[in-house]
Amino acid sequence: MSDHELRVSKIRDGTVIDHIAGGQALNVLAILGVDAASGDTVSVAMDVPSDRLGTKDIVKVEGRELSQDEVDVLSLIAPAATINIVRDFDVVEKHRVESPEEVVGVLSCPNRHCITTGDEPVDTRFDVLGDGIRCQYCETIVREEIADHIVVG
Ligand code: CTP
Ligand code: ZN
């Protein structure tokens, strides 16, 4: 890679989410709960030319690795993403995200009568279908704009 292609710095320790479909970086940040109050050091590159994807986004989170629940939801909006674990500047682990059978937490159910949207805290659980997700409690199916149902914070 030539110098003029290096858009964001390498990180020392943390996680690089690479090969995110162009335009999905902000949704990835929402899944990770990154905002001004989260205290995470994050860098984002958007619309980087990619042979495989046309354009791609890259998100680098310093000093933290992702939970399986976060990776599971990521796979729904960035199915081609690779997760790179970086330690002392080296990529020590690299894996593709895989679509899980269910996603727990992170997404909210759009049905306001669903048990998960009441006052009692109940983690959301969705079955992953080929073309969407289905709430395990009320069977509401979400097919489009899954990212709109990310619980921020
Ligand atoms: N990276 C980083 N900081 C490091 C090491 C790597 O930010 N200390 C980033 C790279 O810039 C790249 C990603 O992590 O976006 C994966 O790094 P690497 O495996 O070295 O790159 P590639 O071989 O190009 O990855 P792939 O084959 O998955 O496309
Ligand atoms: Zn529901």
Side-chain angles (χ1 to χ4, degrees), residues 18 21 30 37 43 49 60 71 76 84 96 101 113 129 137 149-150:
D18 198 354
S43 36
K60 304 187 182 192
V71 174
L76 301 178
N84 299 274
R96 290 281 298 268
E101 282 178 18
H113 300 298
L129 315 173
Y137 295 96
H149 301 280
I150 297 162

Side-chain angles (χ1 to χ4, degrees), residues 9-11 16 18-19 58 60 82 84 86 89 91 94:
S9 310
K10 302 257 170 193
I11 60 172
V16 176
D18 198 354
H19 306 291
I58 306 170
K60 304 187 182 192
T82 40
N84 299 274
V86 176
F89 288 107
V91 174
K94 180 192 292 282

Side-chain angles (χ1 to χ4, degrees), residues 92-103:
V92 295
E93 253 180 66
K94 180 192 292 282
H95 48 94
R96 290 281 298 268
V97 299
E98 278 176 69
S99 192
E101 282 178 18
E102 64 169 9
V103 289

Side-chain angles (χ1 to χ4, degrees), residues 109 114 116 135 138:
C109 181
C114 180
T116 63
C135 177
C138 71

Side-chain angles (χ1 to χ4, degrees), residues 53-152:
L53 299 172
T55 63
K56 67 172 182 178
D57 293 353
I58 306 170
V59 171
K60 304 187 182 192
V61 189
E62 288 183 54
R64 105 147 138 110
E65 298 180 9
L66 309 186
S67 72
Q68 190 60 48
D69 287 344
E70 288 173 322
V71 174
D72 284 350
V73 181
L74 258 175
S75 73
L76 301 178
I77 63 150
T82 40
I83 310 281
N84 299 274
I85 310 293
V86 176
R87 293 201 191 113
D88 206 14
F89 288 107
D90 288 332
V91 174
V92 295
E93 253 180 66
K94 180 192 292 282
H95 48 94
R96 290 281 298 268
V97 299
E98 278 176 69
S99 192
E101 282 178 18
E102 64 169 9
V103 289
V104 178
V106 190
L107 297 171
S108 65
C109 181
N111 172 8
R112 57 193 183 86
H113 300 298
C114 180
I115 186 171
T116 63
T117 55
D119 291 337
E120 294 293 317
V122 179
D123 267 349
T124 60
R125 290 178 170 270
F126 292 91
D127 291 320
V128 177
L129 315 173
D131 61 346
I133 56 173
R134 180 179 56 221
C135 177
Q136 289 178 14
Y137 295 96
C138 71
E139 300 190 353
T140 296
I141 293 180
V142 180
R143 284 213 175 77
E144 271 146 44
E145 308 296 347
I146 288 172
D148 289 350
H149 301 280
I150 297 162
V151 181
V152 184

